[in-house]
Amino acid sequence: MIPYADITFNLGNWGLTRKLPPFAAVRAFEAAARLGSIKEASEELCLTASAVSHQIRALEEYLGTSVFRRSGNRVELTLTGRAYAGKLTTLLDAFEESTRSVKEAGRRPFRVHCTPGFAARWLVPRLNRLAFGDRVRVSVSNGAPSTDFTSNGADVVIQWADAPVLGVVTEPLMQSARYPVVSPSLIQSKELREPGDLCRITLMHDETMDAWDEWFEAAGIDPPAFPRGPTFPNCELATAAAEQEQGVALAYDAVVRSTVESGALVRLFDAVTMPFVIYSVSYPSSRKNDQMIREFSDWIHSEAKAVGAEARTDLICEVASGRVSLLRTATRPENKPKLGARPED
């Protein structure tokens, strides 16, 4: 008979202990129950059939009940054994996945899917501050990045806004107001001195969420009846056009702040639109405890917080079976700028 021992863990100040059966016995029983054969279990575990049988008897002694019925060379699960085996298989599968995740964390690439603007203006310039930034593989999409993790090939998606998605955890990341930006050379040539001057200049429009009317309202003037200027699929192309001296774009402060600080673009006037969540970190619900995802999430949230762009008032949620579950509430107090105020006010 193989001796067994209680495995006891002291759980800090909780005053609790965890008593577990011998792992070798659990592993032998689960394999035999799953394969329906002690012989096949012995082959899988590279043990003799006799050793597997001894391990199973040790488990039965520990449990104080039979998990197999024996008749000659044949064995059959008892009702208790069948129920116990089902639970063990689930636990061992999760254990194997967690172990694999930890082992591969130091080797495998980490795939982030996002918009071109977020990648170029925000993510890529900061990657050297991420511990495993050299293993990040960035892919971009022309439209909104897909959050279908069965086909997008991503570990994490930087999702536009914060709409819940089935089977996905959504962590609001950044909120931002918008204001007009222009290339330095156009300010003097077009004599842009007050908000009303924008009614006579070419404006870059955003097909995804054009907010020029809202900005003109915040500035206290009537928008032009027939806005002049091209329409682009997203705000990044509109901002790039402004950099090329084609007109004025309405940019997100959180995204273009570094570009403005570099002098490549100049912010016009004090008025801003109301801020809202523009990006979220999304990943499969099944991987919410993945080591690399957690580390990436903590890092990118800290980067957003460092520049004052973190989402302050939204809920981190998970959607499963059509129901939204709130994982945790942001602890930072609500602090949204008033309509028409500068984002830093």
Side-chain angles (χ1 to χ4, degrees):
M1 182 71 65
I2 297 178
Y4 64 87
D6 287 345
I7 301 174
T8 303
F9 295 91
N10 188 342
L11 302 182
N13 296 324
W14 293 349
L16 301 175
T17 58
R18 177 177 289 141
K19 296 184 177 181
L20 301 174
F23 183 71
V26 167
R27 191 164 174 244
F29 164 66
E30 189 277 334
R34 172 168 42 83
L35 297 171
S37 166
I38 288 179
K39 182 176 182 297
E40 290 186 27
S42 69
E43 293 172 353
E44 179 179 289
L45 299 174
C46 297
L47 298 172
T48 65
S50 176
V52 172
S53 295
H54 279 295
Q55 294 283 11
I56 293 172
R57 287 194 177 92
L59 180 63
E60 290 177 323
E61 184 176 341
Y62 179 91
L63 296 174
T65 188
S66 296
V67 292
F68 278 112
R69 285 191 207 91
R70 296 164 178 83
S71 178
N73 293 326
R74 298 182 60 185
V75 293
E76 180 183 353
L77 283 167
T78 63
L79 290 177
T80 299
R82 185 175 294 109
Y84 190 43
K87 294 176 182 178
L88 287 180
T89 297
T90 300
L91 290 172
L92 291 178
D93 284 346
F95 183 36
E96 181 183 34
E97 170 61 24
S98 297
T99 303
R100 183 195 60 78
S101 177
V102 171
K103 284 185 64 177
E104 293 181 355
R107 300 191 299 269
R108 65 181 172 89
F110 189 79
R111 300 155 300 179
V112 179
H113 195 44
C114 59
T115 64
F118 184 85
R121 297 185 188 275
W122 211 90
L123 179 61
V124 173
R126 291 172 167 81
L127 275 181
N128 64 328
R129 297 203 284 266
L130 175 62
F132 54 87
D134 58 332
R135 287 187 281 120
V136 171
R137 302 292 182 266
V138 178
S139 62
V140 299
S141 61
N142 292 326
S146 169
T147 50
D148 181 359
F149 286 93
T150 64
S151 61
N152 63 18
D155 293 293
V156 161
V157 167
I158 307 301
Q159 173 186 333
W160 175 253
D162 59 345
V165 178
L166 184 64
V168 172
V169 176
T170 302
E171 300 180 357
L173 172 65
M174 297 169 61
Q175 67 178 19
S176 181
R178 301 174 81 174
Y179 48 68
V181 292
V182 67
S183 69
S185 61
L186 281 187
I187 295 178
Q188 295 300 324
S189 64
K190 299 297 182 180
E191 298 183 351
L192 303 177
R193 299 188 177 92
E194 58 186 39
D197 293 334
L198 297 189
C199 293
R200 57 176 174 76
I201 196 172
T202 300
L203 304 179
M204 307 293 105
H205 296 274
D206 175 4
E207 185 176 71
T208 301
M209 190 176 290
D210 196 63
W212 274 113
D213 284 356
E214 182 185 346
W215 183 84
F216 278 113
E217 179 185 352
I221 59 177
D222 293 330
F226 301 99
R228 299 171 53 194
T231 298
F232 297 91
N234 54 60
C235 60
E236 170 57 23
L237 292 179
T239 303
E243 286 183 289
Q244 298 301 315
E245 304 179 8
Q246 295 181 31
V248 179
L250 194 62
Y252 291 97
D253 172 63
V255 177
V256 302
R257 190 181 302 174
S258 60
T259 308
V260 171
E261 290 172 353
S262 73
L265 285 170
V266 177
R267 173 181 174 172
L268 294 174
F269 317 121
D270 289 342
V272 297
T273 63
M274 285 295 292
F276 66 97
V277 175
I278 59 172
Y279 290 115
S280 297
V281 180
S282 300
Y283 47 86
S285 298
S286 60
R287 297 183 61 196
K288 60 188 175 186
N289 295 319
D290 182 280
Q291 180 183 0
M292 292 185 77
I293 288 177
R294 291 268 39 91
E295 187 172 345
F296 177 84
S297 174
D298 290 344
W299 168 77
I300 201 168
H301 279 284
S302 68
E303 290 290 328
K305 183 177 181 180
V307 296
E310 77 274 24
R312 297 181 173 92
T313 61
D314 296 89
L315 301 174
I316 296 172
C317 68
E318 175 183 2
V319 184
S321 301
R323 300 182 63 183
V324 178
S325 301
L326 303 178
L327 299 185
R328 68 179 185 271
T329 306
T331 57
R332 297 175 290 277
E334 183 171 352
N335 185 25
K336 289 185 177 180
K338 297 179 180 179
L339 187 67
R342 296 181 70 96
E344 59 267 28
D345 291 344

